[in-house]
Amino acid sequence: MAASNEEEATQKFKEAVQNAFDDLSPTTAKFIMELSSCRQQDKKGSSSKRTPYGIFQTNSFQLEKNLGYGGIFLTIARMNHSCRPNAIHYWRP
């Protein structure tokens, strides 16, 4: 069922990311949780725990233009990158 507003859509997306994470092997899940997360601050600016959603938001790459599919690639996620990128990536399914 489609979300009726942005908040509901975000919550559904967080749940989808968590479900995908829960399906990973323990070894892969451990490596994923070692990646950086841009979502490690709560609304008051305090540090909070690292989550699969925050790690996905920080490290995922869009796989299908305009369809919202994305993925995390452990080796690529470890590359030094910037909010002002000077390189592009291209996905060939």
Side-chain angles (χ1 to χ4, degrees):
M1 180 195 271
S4 59
N5 58 49
E6 185 176 345
E7 184 177 319
E8 186 179 342
T10 299
Q11 185 59 38
K12 284 180 176 277
F13 183 64
K14 285 181 180 181
E15 290 170 7
V17 169
Q18 185 64 52
N19 290 339
F21 178 79
D22 291 343
D23 288 341
L24 297 173
S25 72
T27 301
T28 302
K30 177 184 175 292
F31 287 135
I32 294 286
M33 291 306 293
E34 291 173 349
L35 295 173
S36 296
S37 175
C38 65
R39 305 273 188 218
Q40 276 192 262
Q41 289 190 338
D42 60 22
K43 292 180 181 176
K44 297 176 185 175
S46 300
S47 291
S48 61
K49 71 177 190 166
R50 189 175 300 198
T51 65
Y53 173 72
I55 291 168
F56 184 85
Q57 291 293 90
T58 306
N59 297 283
S60 65
F61 285 87
Q62 182 179 0
L63 301 179
E64 294 287 335
K65 190 172 185 174
N66 300 323
L67 293 178
Y69 298 125
I72 294 178
F73 302 89
L74 291 172
T75 302
I76 294 172
R78 293 281 183 197
M79 292 173 29
N80 191 10
H81 58 279
S82 168
C83 292
R84 294 182 59 195
N86 61 2
I88 62 170
H89 70 280
Y90 181 74
W91 174 257
R92 288 185 192 173

